Amino acid sequence: MAKANRQPPLVVIDAGHGGHDPGARSILGRYEHEVTLAIALAVRDRLSRSGKVRVALTRADNRFLSLLERRQFARKLGADLFLSIHADSSSNPNAKGATVYTLSESEAGNVARKLIARPNKGDVIRGADLTAMDSDSEFILFDMSQNMTLVRSSVFANILKEKLNGKSAVRPFHQFAAFAVLKAPDMPSALIETGYLTNQEDAERLFSKESQLSIAREISAAIDTYFSSDSERGYDASTPSPSIAG
């Protein structure tokens, strides 16, 4: 298929919490799920207007989804980037600022061991059926895919830091964690904590419509830059994970 006929890359935006899980309670008495959905909707609208990427939401209203459902939804659609939006809380009212998380290398190793040990490996890596491979080949393929995913997740995190720098990103920004939504081995993924609901300044900012639109603008700019950089390097985000000839 000619490159010109390929679809634009797909981004799945995940508004954290919802339904019977409202998330953190803010110092203003309102809840995290309101912030995450408002920002997710604004990101979707902005990206849709640009037409540079396709965009889908895990939820567009106040409903509950498990962490696994969120990740599986994005993988089923074949997302080229998954971003989960949250807001933080702390017992320290002075804690403030945004943070982005990607999967830690140690947890990536745990994910690898669990997935490779599965009896049914047909959907472990997008575009490849590991059940038809010998153990050495499946390990090599999985390792290649997962390493690429970790690198590209970090690339996006660093771009997002640049877009937020001097604004809401006022603490050590890129950190590593074992959050369930980040564990897909074949889908670059990040989770952004947009600020602290237990901090007066951050809470007022996060519940401000103007600030929500500003955060959405910065996130959208990071996504555009991420995929534009791919294009400049000749990388096609819609290309399936690398495979090994049988």
Side-chain angles (χ1 to χ4, degrees):
M1 182 182 293
K3 186 177 180 63
N5 293 330
R6 293 186 185 276
Q7 289 185 305
L10 173 65
V11 180
V12 171
I13 305 297
D14 173 43
H17 302 281
H20 66 257
D21 172 23
R25 186 176 188 274
S26 76
I27 197 170
L28 306 177
R30 298 172 67 183
Y31 287 89
E32 182 180 0
H33 74 93
E34 300 176 57
V35 170
T36 64
L37 182 58
I39 294 173
L41 290 170
V43 171
R44 179 200 62 184
D45 293 346
R46 191 169 187 87
L47 291 175
S48 296
R49 286 195 299 270
S50 78
K52 296 178 182 178
V53 301
R54 294 173 293 142
V55 60
L57 299 180
T58 56
R59 69 177 183 95
D61 53 22
N62 186 24
R63 69 178 64 190
F64 174 79
L65 292 169
S66 71
L67 300 177
L68 181 58
E69 285 176 316
R70 295 166 190 268
R71 190 178 77 223
Q72 288 180 334
F73 173 82
R75 288 195 73 231
K76 184 176 181 179
L77 289 182
D80 300 296
L81 179 66
F82 176 81
L83 178 63
S84 190
I85 298 175
H86 288 256
D88 221 333
S89 65
S90 173
S91 58
N92 177 6
N94 294 319
K96 61 181 294 186
T99 312
V100 70
Y101 293 91
T102 60
L103 190 65
S104 65
E105 288 189 13
S106 60
E107 184 58 28
N110 292 334
V111 171
R113 286 188 290 274
K114 291 177 182 177
L115 291 179
I116 289 177
R118 285 172 49 177
N120 181 6
K121 305 173 188 177
D123 63 346
V124 168
I125 297 294
R126 187 193 314 174
D129 185 355
L130 299 189
T131 58
M133 299 179 181
D134 60 62
S135 58
D136 288 341
S137 294
E138 70 180 23
F139 176 80
I140 292 169
L141 176 58
F142 191 96
D143 191 56
M144 288 172 61
S145 178
Q146 190 176 57
N147 285 342
M148 179 182 289
T149 297
L150 292 176
V151 168
R152 294 184 58 72
S153 298
S154 291
V155 167
F156 175 71
N158 289 331
I159 292 172
L160 189 54
K161 178 182 178 180
E162 292 176 4
K163 300 303 179 182
L164 292 171
N165 192 32
K167 299 175 184 177
S168 53
V170 295
R171 55 173 295 184
F173 185 65
H174 184 194
Q175 299 189 36
F176 299 91
F179 296 133
V181 291
L182 302 178
K183 293 183 180 181
D186 54 358
M187 180 176 67
S189 305
L191 183 150
I192 181 171
E193 298 278 7
T194 51
Y196 279 82
L197 295 178
T198 44
N199 175 269
Q200 186 74 33
E201 182 180 346
D202 269 9
E204 291 176 356
R205 174 176 61 85
L206 291 173
F207 283 102
S208 159
K209 182 68 173 178
E210 181 180 355
S211 293
Q212 290 169 354
L213 293 175
S214 177
I215 294 169
R217 182 167 58 250
E218 293 156 1
I219 291 174
S220 299
I223 291 169
D224 283 343
T225 299
Y226 173 77
F227 288 113
S228 295
S229 299
D230 281 346
S231 178
E232 291 170 4
R233 292 194 299 268
Y235 177 85
D236 182 3
S238 63
T239 300
S241 301
S243 61
I244 298 174

